[in-house]
């Protein structure tokens, strides 16, 4: 990837490095410039712009982030269709969000425990400073929809060879082990004169703790407390 000042005459297809306000429009950082954009810049008096230009073998940040996230979810290379990637991710308890500005967030499909190959995470982050992979703590309890990991391409593109190596190291590095639904019974003890409201509160607290695990309280018995 080449980065720096680019004459407008050579800027078509380049990726804009910073936003530029023009009359009636705004060119956004990260936008790939087309002929109309170049004409608008020229009309505004610009002679050159700061931009990134991909070289042979480079992979655009959004495509690279999607590929790396898909590998984390277990996808093989070459990358299958998006629908297949989604199915693979769900089988591992994960949901991949669409790439945006070189980032893909991974969320838990259901409540469970996050299983992380910490060695694989470190190995991915050692490939290229432009590629990052971060997760929540291993063995953390996660809720449905919670973000559990993210991959980010720091620059506008990354070398394809480095991305391929990161994919290899990341493959299957993350999953959510979902909680298995079940039922539970609660036994509470009572001393003489104890208010029944305490037992009702105990039941409510216990039900609230079980619900995120997918468990139901099906029995609740109060018995005398004996020392």
């Amino acid at each position: 990837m080449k980065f720096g000042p680019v004459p407008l005459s050579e800027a078509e297809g380049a990726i804009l490095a910073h936003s530029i306000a023009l009359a009636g429009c705004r060119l956004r950082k990260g936008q790939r410039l087309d002929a109309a954009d170049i004409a608008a810049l020229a009309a505004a008096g610009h002679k050159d712009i700061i931009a990134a230009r991909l070289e042979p073998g480079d992979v655009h940040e959004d495509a690279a982030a999607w590929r790396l996230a898909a590998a984390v979810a277990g996808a093989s290379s070459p990358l299958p269709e998006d629908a297949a990637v989604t199915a693979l991710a769900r089988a591992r308890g994960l949901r991949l969000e669409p790439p945006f500005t070189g980032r893909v967030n991974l969320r838990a499909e259901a409540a469970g425990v996050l299983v992380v190959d910490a060695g694989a995470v470190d190995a991915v982050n050692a490939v290229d400073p432009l590629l990052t992979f971060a997760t929540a703590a291993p063995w953390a309890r996660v809720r449905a929809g919670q973000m559990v990991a993210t991959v980010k391409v720091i620059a506008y593109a990354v070398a394809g060879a480095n991305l391929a190596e990161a994919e290899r190291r990341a493959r299957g590095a993350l999953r959510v082990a979902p909680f298995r639904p079940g039922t539970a019974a609660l036994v509470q003890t009572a001393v003489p004169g104890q208010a029944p409201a305490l037992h009702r509160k105990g039941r409510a607290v216990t039900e609230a703790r079980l619900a995120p695990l997918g468990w139901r309280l099906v029995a609740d018995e109060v018995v005398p407390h004996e020392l």
Side-chain angles (χ1 to χ4, degrees), residues 87-106:
L88 283 168
R90 284 179 175 168
R92 300 184 67 84
L94 301 169
R95 172 168 55 86
L96 275 57
E97 293 187 336
F100 179 71
T101 62
R103 180 186 299 278
V104 172
N105 294 326
L106 295 88

Side-chain angles (χ1 to χ4, degrees), residues 117-139:
D117 183 341
V121 175
D122 290 342
V124 169
N125 287 321
V127 172
D128 189 318
L130 299 183
L131 292 171
T132 60
F133 175 27
T135 76
W139 313 117

Side-chain angles (χ1 to χ4, degrees), residues 8 12 22 27 33-46:
L8 286 188
E12 186 170 351
L22 301 174
L27 301 182
L33 299 174
D34 58 22
D37 299 327
I38 300 300
L41 286 164
H46 291 273

Side-chain angles (χ1 to χ4, degrees), residues 182-188 203 206-207 210 215-222:
T183 58
L186 175 64
V187 177
Q188 301 185 79
R203 178 187 177 100
T206 302
E207 286 181 318
L210 290 173
W215 280 56
R216 294 182 302 111
L217 192 61
V218 296
D220 176 16
E221 185 173 353
V222 179

Side-chain angles (χ1 to χ4, degrees), residues 75-81 167 171:
S76 60
S77 184
L79 195 67
E81 296 295 325
E167 288 178 278
R171 191 151 292 118

Side-chain angles (χ1 to χ4, degrees), residues 72 104-107 114 133-136 146-151 174:
V72 169
V104 172
N105 294 326
L106 295 88
R107 297 187 179 273
L114 184 64
F133 175 27
T135 76
Q146 179 179 337
M147 190 171 78
V148 296
T150 187
V151 298
L174 193 73

Side-chain angles (χ1 to χ4, degrees), residues 194-207:
Q194 185 170 315
L198 290 177
H199 301 133
R200 292 194 295 271
K201 181 178 180 180
R203 178 187 177 100
V205 168
T206 302
E207 286 181 318

